[in-house]
Amino acid sequence: GNSVTQMEGPVTLSEEAFLTINCTYTATGYPSLFWYVQYPGEGLQLLLKATKADDKGSNKGFEATYRKETTSFHLEKGSVQVSDSAVYFCALTPNAGGTSYGKLTFGQGTILTVHP
Amino acid sequence: DAGVIQSPRHEVTEMGQEVTLRCKPISGHDYLFWYRQTMMRGLELLIYFNNNVPIDDSGMPEDRFSAKMPNASFSTLKIQPSEPRDSAVYFCASSGGQGMSYEQYFGPGTRLTVT
């Protein structure tokens, strides 16, 4: 079946530090990949996505590249801010067909805390 | 668009009582998902619907939980009777629609406390 594995947290950084959160996946075919962010007390929000190999998703300074050869979708940001403190979830969905069509498989989430 | 709407935002109830959580998905979306989030178990998919039909309810923890989607703009998740271990944040999400994009849009959640 499909699965997503994220690097274990929590991750604590100082403001303006470089961020990497690792994400690897197992899936048949060519899934779409997503990063969601959850700020304290809120629901999950889509941060970025990539739908095919070598696509790069980007938003709010965050980037992730769909690497088919390493089955990875690592999240990066060059300079984090205190306001980036949140929980980050990597997820995938099959692109077509099968009983899981439309259903997201989430990683366990990584807590990021950024200090001033 | 108002996004996914959930009510109530907070619910406190006593063990044994019936609890009903409500969700209005984004207009035009044909998938609806119910999730539960706790510190211990993380984010769990309970059930999801496509075109108002339940597709996968394998995540529903036990018979005390039930979900319905009587029409494309409304869904409920009911717990009867409730137990303290049901305390969690329950999220509703929707996806699909024109262009068949499967990114899910989450509601703000209902924080349930069972005492």
Side-chain angles (χ1 to χ4, degrees):
Chain A
N2 300 326
S3 67
V4 176
T5 303
Q6 292 182 228
M7 66 182 288
E8 294 196 10
V11 175
T12 303
L13 296 173
S14 297
E15 205 165 26
E16 299 184 1
F18 183 85
L19 168 70
T20 299
I21 301 178
N22 290 339
C23 171
T24 57
Y25 67 90
T26 301
T28 55
Y30 299 89
S32 289
L33 302 174
F34 305 87
W35 277 101
Y36 280 81
V37 58
Q38 184 179 27
Y39 299 104
E42 299 184 11
L44 280 70
Q45 303 174 24
L46 179 66
L47 180 60
L48 53 83
K49 66 177 181 180
T51 57
K52 59 183 186 296
D54 300 324
D55 267 3
K56 177 185 284 188
S58 62
N59 186 26
K60 299 181 181 179
F62 291 89
E63 293 183 340
T65 301
Y66 188 142
R67 300 289 188 197
K68 180 68 176 174
E69 64 277 12
T70 55
T71 62
S72 65
F73 193 54
H74 304 322
L75 182 68
E76 297 182 336
K77 187 174 186 182
S79 176
V80 293
Q81 306 300 311
V82 172
S83 57
D84 294 326
S85 297
V87 183
Y88 292 81
F89 293 89
C90 185
L92 69 80
T93 191
N95 264 330
T99 57
S100 297
Y101 194 35
K103 174 182 172 182
L104 280 174
T105 299
F106 283 94
Q108 70 270 36
T110 302
I111 300 172
L112 171 65
T113 302
V114 180
H115 293 297
Chain B
D1 197 319
V4 176
I5 299 172
Q6 291 187 249
S7 64
R9 292 294 310 276
H10 301 273
E11 178 79 38
V12 179
T13 191
E14 293 183 349
M15 182 174 62
Q17 296 298 305
E18 177 180 296
V19 175
T20 300
L21 311 181
R22 297 172 176 80
C23 175
K24 176 178 170 56
I26 292 173
S27 177
H29 282 184
D30 57 355
Y31 280 85
L32 185 138
F33 305 82
W34 282 102
Y35 293 90
R36 178 173 68 176
Q37 187 177 41
T38 62
M39 290 294 293
M40 291 296 295
R41 301 176 67 92
L43 190 65
E44 303 173 276
L45 176 65
L46 301 177
I47 184 172
Y48 75 103
F49 296 82
N50 179 221
N51 292 321
N52 312 337
V53 176
I55 301 301
D56 183 353
D57 65 354
S58 60
M60 297 286 261
E62 48 197 276
D63 292 345
R64 297 185 297 106
F65 287 69
S66 62
K68 294 182 180 180
M69 193 165 185
N71 57 62
S73 59
F74 184 66
S75 178
T76 60
L77 177 68
K78 184 177 294 186
I79 309 172
Q80 167 62 19
S82 58
E83 297 182 3
R85 60 193 167 118
D86 301 330
S87 297
V89 181
Y90 291 81
F91 291 104
C92 176
S94 69
S95 71
Q98 191 174 13
M100 299 297 280
S101 172
Y102 288 101
E103 53 205 65
Q104 291 183 19
Y105 294 82
F106 282 73
T110 295
R111 182 173 296 277
L112 174 64
T113 303
V114 183
T115 61

